[in-house]
Amino acid sequence: MNIIVLLKQTFDTEAKIQLDSNNNVITDNIQYIINPYDEFALEEAIRIKEKLGDVIITVVSMGPRKVEEALRQALAMGADKSILLNDEVLFGGDEHTAAVALSQTIKQIPYDLIIGGQVAIDDGSGQVAIRVAEILDIPQVNLVTKLDVENNKLAAHRQVEVGTEVIEVFLPAMITAQKGLNEPRYPALKGIMQAKKKELKILGLADLGLTENQVGSNGANLKVISTFLPAPRNAGRILSGEISENVQELVRLLREEAKII
Amino acid sequence: MSKGIWVFIELRNAKITNSSYELLSAGRKFADKLEQDFTAVLFGYNIESLTDAIAQYGVDKIILADDPKLEKYTTDAYATVLTDLIKAKQPETVFYSHSALVKDLAPRVAERLKTGVATDCIGVEISDDGQFKFTRALYAGKLFNQVYSPHARPVMATFRPNALGVEDPSGVRNVQMEKVKVQLNLENLRTLVKEILGKVQNKMDLTEAEIIVSGGRGMKASENFKLLEELAEVLGGAVGASRAAVDSGWRDHSNQVGQTGKTVSPKLYIACGISGAIQHLAGMNSSRFVVAINKDPEANIFKIADYGIVDDLFKVIPLLTEEFKKMQA
């Protein structure tokens, strides 16, 4: 079985976002991580490999050369191969162009199952994996919290507002991982050593057989007009009386000042 | 030139969701401003009786796809029917609420139509030249941007619950009803919903709640969340949790507020025993009012709270619940 994992490198969740004078995000002193939902995706792929044995896991990512760190980490956790789409013309697009580039890469490798995170914690869009599934003409199960693979069939638990749907789907299929699917492992020292020898292929536009018009900002439908920080929230009032006075005062404030109760 | 604003109405337990009423409220205003037709699109089975409530919001047209094959959501059935409808009628704009269903559906439909979709929008405005401009949260609310679709049509966007707000119905207009004949080959549906586990009838989803009572590490144990459940019940709200509480196994991940959980914008967010890590603040920063209850006066949460009580939450919460009960009596 061939499993592809879609992976994005993101800022750490504790990162503080600041803008420079041109309204670009300042990346100095930022710690980078594998997008947490993609880490669940990768962990699930490794667990399937441990269970079934004959599995090759290829991790596919797009971004600057810095993403090699995330791919090495994925290889150290247990992925077999990795591909990084690194080409300036591929960047700065939208979810459609990202999906075009990723699916064009995936078409060059055999796959039965593709797993990605349900959303990336940076742009919060949650579209790319599903668009890849559409381009490849395979079904998807989104927001998966439990996955069982049996022969060429998947049983997936999908988290929805009213409960958990149990969904059956035949391979090839796309799965997007939701928190709760598993608890990702830390790479072991042996894995870290082995990762150095594993394949990390870097591809550009020419390798994908796409033209500049199809990718990056040229191919994007959605354009960014502006980027801005949230209005700062100021500290309000700390109630300083006795406990029962504070509670009464809080209720009064919510009712009379905030007018929300 | 394509015209018309469509809103995709969503059902949950056979009822129209609150977020759908938000779309109906906002959509009518946009349609008036742009002088376009306003259409509600409703998928499901045995749903015709719901059209009266929709009509109250001043829609010009209701497109009804009433078919057993649409009773339960499946990606293929919904994506096929909706894409075909959009291709046939060419609306200029399609709005959705950002739900589990739409997270699955909208990117599929958008890719099939080769258009963009701005997901999880928290705001929208119309520019002087009649373009929709959408505000989105990045890094779960640590940053925002505004995006638009200059050329690709339809313009599509999904809105975070509570972002648009529900208004009183503007009243029935002359409504045109269009029933769609659903032509689907069941063999082409690639996913099968076998069953739904843990089905809840009236549980409010966190993102849709107007009031959230949220607990963190200071709650100390799973059973202590009962205090928050009681307070939430009195207020008609929902219970949330910080990552610390979820990772301790006290609450389900569906309750988590923050960068690896849900981003919420309730009217009132009551943070109990939550220190206020950056990733948590990102997820609730856009709440209208924040109340913090924490015994540590140095806790970060007080820096963004409108009202704070520095005290033992195990004493404060029951008193607060009682006080609200008294108020309602």
Side-chain angles (χ1 to χ4, degrees), chain B residues 23 51 75 89 92 95 119 122 134 136 164 184 186 202 205-206 219 232 248 262 275 298 306 308:
Chain B
L23 295 173
T51 55
T75 315
K89 317 220 175 264
E92 189 169 10
F95 286 164
T119 48
I122 56 167
F134 305 101
R136 298 191 64 249
L164 298 171
L184 279 173
L186 280 178
N202 293 312
D205 190 68
L206 209 51
M219 294 305 296
S248 301
K262 289 180 170 147
S275 62
E298 301 300 320
D306 298 283

Side-chain angles (χ1 to χ4, degrees), chain B residues 86-102:
Chain B
I86 292 173
K87 277 184 180 164
K89 317 220 175 264
Q90 310 249 320
E92 189 169 10
T93 308
V94 185
F95 286 164
Y96 311 77
S97 42
H98 195 63
S99 62
L101 185 159
V102 166

Side-chain angles (χ1 to χ4, degrees), chain A residues 13 122 127 138 140 233 257, chain B residues 108 117 139 142 287 307:
Chain A
T13 50
D122 48 10
Q127 297 188 43
I138 59 172
Q140 89 235 5
R233 269 196 106 96
E257 194 177 86
Chain B
R108 267 276 168 189
V117 51
Y139 306 96
K142 293 176 188 173
S287 306
Y307 307 122

Side-chain angles (χ1 to χ4, degrees), chain A residues 13 15 37 122-123 127 131 134 138 140 164 166 168 179 223 225-226 228 233 236-237 239 257, chain B residues 100 108 111-112 117 136 139 142 144 146 148 192 194-195 197 256 260 285 287 305-308 327:
Chain A
T13 50
Y37 296 98
D122 48 10
D123 61 40
Q127 297 188 43
R131 285 177 179 263
E134 170 63 20
I138 59 172
Q140 89 235 5
T164 302
V166 183
E168 264 185 18
K179 190 170 175 177
K223 309 279 182 192
I225 303 164
S226 59
F228 54 98
R233 269 196 106 96
R237 198 179 322 172
L239 309 178
E257 194 177 86
Chain B
R108 267 276 168 189
E111 189 58 40
R112 215 168 274 184
V117 51
R136 298 191 64 249
Y139 306 96
K142 293 176 188 173
F144 295 94
Q146 208 174 34
Y148 81 125
L192 177 67
K194 297 282 282 182
E195 56 180 325
L197 305 173
Q256 187 177 323
T260 50
N285 204 16
S287 306
D306 298 283
Y307 307 122
M327 193 183 87

Side-chain angles (χ1 to χ4, degrees), chain A residues 69 110 255:
Chain A
E69 295 164 14
R255 193 179 183 175

Side-chain angles (χ1 to χ4, degrees), chain A:
Chain A
M1 180 187 260
N2 289 286
I3 304 180
I4 291 172
V5 174
L6 301 177
L7 182 148
K8 188 176 188 183
Q9 188 184 47
T10 59
F11 287 10
D12 184 70
T13 50
E14 289 302 313
K16 200 171 170 197
I17 308 291
Q18 290 169 304
L19 296 178
D20 65 18
S21 53
N22 295 321
N23 266 359
N24 292 317
V25 175
I26 299 172
T27 55
D28 305 345
N29 305 317
I30 293 285
Q31 302 286 318
Y32 289 84
I33 56 170
I34 295 175
N35 173 43
Y37 296 98
D38 299 345
E39 211 177 355
F40 301 136
L42 173 63
E43 175 65 31
E44 198 61 20
I46 298 167
R47 289 184 190 200
I48 294 169
K49 183 183 167 89
E50 285 168 347
K51 196 173 155 208
L52 302 183
D54 188 21
V55 172
I56 296 171
I57 303 170
T58 307
V59 180
V60 179
S61 188
M62 183 163 85
R65 292 295 291 261
K66 193 168 180 48
V67 177
E68 286 178 45
E69 295 164 14
L71 291 177
R72 287 287 171 214
Q73 189 191 332
L75 294 168
M77 282 171 71
D80 299 292
K81 302 174 182 182
S82 60
I83 298 172
L84 174 60
L85 300 183
N86 175 261
D87 195 329
E88 282 295 324
V89 296
L90 296 175
F91 307 156
D94 64 1
E95 296 84 358
H96 163 70
T97 56
V100 165
L102 290 169
S103 54
Q104 199 65 16
T105 312
I106 292 167
K107 282 177 189 168
Q108 301 178 12
I109 18 177
Y111 63 87
D112 302 289
L113 173 61
I114 308 176
I115 318 181
Q118 62 103 351
V119 71
I121 59 165
D122 48 10
D123 61 40
S125 173
Q127 297 188 43
V128 174
I130 294 172
R131 285 177 179 263
V132 167
E134 170 63 20
I135 295 171
L136 297 173
D137 196 19
I138 59 172
Q140 89 235 5
V141 186
N142 198 22
L143 301 164
V144 169
T145 53
K146 185 170 185 282
L147 186 64
D148 288 309
V149 183
E150 202 182 314
N151 300 319
N152 61 341
K153 201 163 82 176
L154 299 175
H157 284 198
R158 164 175 148 78
Q159 197 181 73
V160 296
E161 289 85 355
V162 295
T164 302
E165 291 177 352
V166 183
I167 294 182
E168 264 185 18
V169 61
F170 286 96
L171 297 174
M174 169 74 76
I175 294 294
T176 75
Q178 170 67 308
K179 190 170 175 177
L181 181 60
N182 54 46
E183 196 60 52
R185 70 196 62 198
Y186 290 100
L189 186 61
K190 190 175 157 213
I192 295 169
M193 299 308 290
Q194 284 171 342
K196 291 178 183 160
K197 294 183 217 118
K198 288 181 179 171
E199 185 178 298
L200 197 165
K201 212 176 355 180
I202 295 183
L203 301 182
L205 183 69
D207 303 302
L208 300 181
L210 295 168
T211 64
E212 281 194 27
N213 290 333
Q214 293 171 280
V215 296
S217 56
N218 295 328
N221 293 317
L222 279 188
K223 309 279 182 192
V224 176
I225 303 164
S226 59
T227 304
F228 54 98
L229 291 166
R233 269 196 106 96
N234 297 323
R237 198 179 322 172
I238 302 286
L239 309 178
S240 55
E242 287 303 307
I243 186 162
S244 55
E245 292 167 17
N246 286 344
V247 167
Q248 281 170 14
E249 176 65 1
L250 175 61
V251 172
R252 190 192 67 80
L253 286 168
L254 288 172
R255 193 179 183 175
E256 290 171 19
E257 194 177 86
K259 297 189 169 68
I260 42 178
I261 299 291

Side-chain angles (χ1 to χ4, degrees), chain B residues 145-181:
Chain B
N145 71 10
Q146 208 174 34
V147 297
Y148 81 125
S149 175
H151 307 295
R153 294 293 177 273
V155 173
M156 302 218 297
T158 77
F159 288 91
R160 182 178 298 175
N162 293 333
L164 298 171
V166 179
E167 285 175 24
D168 290 334
S170 57
V172 180
R173 301 191 184 192
N174 190 10
V175 191
Q176 187 192 339
M177 277 280 274
E178 183 173 331
K179 291 181 191 174
V180 180
K181 209 166 159 207

Side-chain angles (χ1 to χ4, degrees), chain B residues 194-299:
Chain B
K194 297 282 282 182
E195 56 180 325
I196 298 178
L197 305 173
K199 193 161 179 171
V200 276
Q201 287 299 324
N202 293 312
K203 199 183 125 201
M204 198 185 303
D205 190 68
L206 209 51
T207 53
E208 293 172 10
E210 293 200 330
I211 295 176
I212 294 175
V213 183
S214 208
R217 200 188 302 276
M219 294 305 296
K220 292 202 170 87
S222 173
E223 56 270 26
N224 294 332
F225 273 81
K226 194 162 171 282
L227 292 175
L228 305 191
E229 300 274 4
E230 285 163 2
L231 177 55
E233 197 188 323
V234 173
L235 295 171
V239 174
S242 73
R243 185 164 75 187
V246 171
D247 288 350
S248 301
W250 301 339
R251 299 297 286 186
D252 186 74
H253 172 249
S254 59
N255 289 182
Q256 187 177 323
V257 174
Q259 208 172 355
T260 50
K262 289 180 170 147
T263 309
V264 296
S265 314
K267 283 200 297 195
L268 175 61
Y269 190 90
I270 306 181
C272 310
I274 290 176
S275 62
I278 288 178
Q279 62 82 22
H280 185 80
L281 299 185
M284 44 69 74
N285 204 16
S286 57
S287 306
R288 236 170 74 207
F289 280 87
V290 175
V291 170
I293 301 164
N294 199 308
K295 65 181 178 199
D296 175 12
E298 301 300 320

